[in-house]
Amino acid sequence: MLRMRFVARFVRSGIALLFSVLIVLSAQKPKSQQVERGREFLGLAPPPDAAAAARGEKTYAQACAFCHGVKANGAEGPNLVRSTVVLHDEKGEMIGSVIRNGRPERGMPAFPGFTAEQIYDIAEFLHSRVEAAANRYAYKVGNVITGDSKAGEKFFQTAGRCAGCHSTRGDLAHVAARYEPVDLQAEFLYPSKSPPIEVTVTEHSGQSISGKLKRIDDFSVSLWDQDGTYHSWPRDAVTVVMKDPLSAHRELLDRYTNEDMHNVLAYLETLK
Ligand code: HEC
Ligand code: HEC
């Protein structure tokens, strides 16, 4: 079964490439539509449901990215793009059982609260990551950039408050040249790189020290202060306040509509 899938995928990428070339030549209809119609016509597996994948990406960024990586290619937890569970899954039935039950003894928590729809959406997102990895060229001409860049720019400057932390002439200049569209979407939803977490540790005496977090767990907390001096305390001897530089991105996940997401991506894509 797995081998068949790989073969199908291999064939599919060849065919998608062919279609992409035809599209460049003909180009009277929206590109993605032609790729999809071509696949259906040939009786191949349907491409992931883009709307579901976009919803799933948000849920994934909140609940899973921390362990499995923003792009699902692994972090603390395993790479899901190469996972046999994900490769064999059709519509969330296998992924769903892992999500609902977890594998607590091996570090994968259970998420019993997800609805069938949320699981389907996450599964479609993971399938879209597999497709993206297997078939970069088709994704370039594919259906990722559907938003309105002007509306995206407005969101960037106003409701999204992106401009408060980023500059399109500074840190985000040419950002679209650094990432493929599908990766750029993953990066702005939940950035894979983060500056250090700012932490303030207050001893029971009332004295406090701030700096960059080195490590925190149930037993101890440690930091480097402004001069680069290392400090460490038993966890129960202090109170700890942390400022996560990505908290704004985390909060944005609750606020974006699908439309905002597509518009922002379309805008960021203008920053070549
Ligand atoms: C706290 C870390 C953590 C979080 C959060 C987490 N996972 Fe996992 N996940 C793991 C670990 C570790 C494994 C490997 C377990 C094992 O060895 O069987 C795993 C395994 C899996 C597998 C099976 C992979 C395979 O091929 O066997 C899937 C699918 C999966 N996770 C999906 C998800 C999804 C979807 C979410 C979010 C809803 C999520 N995980 C959240 C740590 C995590
Ligand atoms: C409160 C500050 C803050 C806000 C608001 C914010 N970001 Fe970020 N963003 C960060 C930080 C911190 C990082 C991670 C490290 C870095 O690239 O500076 C980051 C990373 C990114 C990256 C990855 C950049 C790269 O080079 O890899 C993109 C793209 C991005 N943000 C887009 C956005 C967009 C779009 C918005 C608004 C919808 C937004 N950010 C809002 C702080 C913020």
Side-chain angles (χ1 to χ4, degrees), residues 83-244:
S83 146
T84 49
V85 171
V86 174
L87 292 174
H88 278 112
D89 180 271
E90 296 284 340
K91 290 177 170 173
E93 72 290 352
M94 295 181 70
I95 294 171
S97 120
V98 180
I99 295 178
R100 285 222 171 89
N101 304 316
R103 293 183 187 157
E105 71 296 346
R106 294 163 75 179
M108 166 76 200
F111 296 87
F114 280 125
T115 63
E117 200 203 5
Q118 283 174 311
I119 286 174
Y120 171 75
D121 291 350
I122 292 176
E124 288 303 283
F125 166 65
L126 291 174
H127 293 156
S128 77
R129 295 302 319 178
V130 173
E131 285 260 317
N135 196 350
R136 301 228 132 242
Y137 186 71
Y139 252 74
K140 254 188 223 166
V141 295
N143 198 13
V144 224
I145 310 163
T146 55
D148 167 355
S149 65
K150 282 268 174 296
E153 178 170 16
K154 188 157 169 245
F155 185 85
F156 188 95
Q157 303 293 350
T158 59
R161 296 195 279 268
C162 320
C165 296
H166 295 290
S167 156
T168 53
R169 302 232 176 97
D171 67 327
L172 293 187
H174 314 298
V175 71
R178 286 191 276 125
Y179 297 106
E180 298 286 332
V182 51
D183 292 337
L184 182 54
Q185 172 148 313
E187 285 289 339
F188 84 76
L189 285 180
Y190 191 73
S192 58
K193 296 176 281 246
S194 170
I197 293 176
E198 296 290 332
V199 60
T200 299
V201 173
T202 308
E203 297 171 3
H204 294 328
S205 66
Q207 198 203 337
S208 58
I209 297 185
S210 299
K212 299 192 187 324
L213 182 69
K214 166 146 195 291
R215 191 187 160 87
I216 183 162
D217 58 29
D218 289 347
F219 308 107
S220 69
V221 53
S222 54
L223 61 73
W224 286 288
D225 69 16
Q226 282 159 331
D227 307 325
T229 308
Y230 174 82
H231 303 263
S232 147
W233 299 263
R235 191 74 166 72
D236 56 11
V238 292
T239 51
V240 177
V241 177
M242 288 188 282
K243 209 172 124 221
D244 176 0

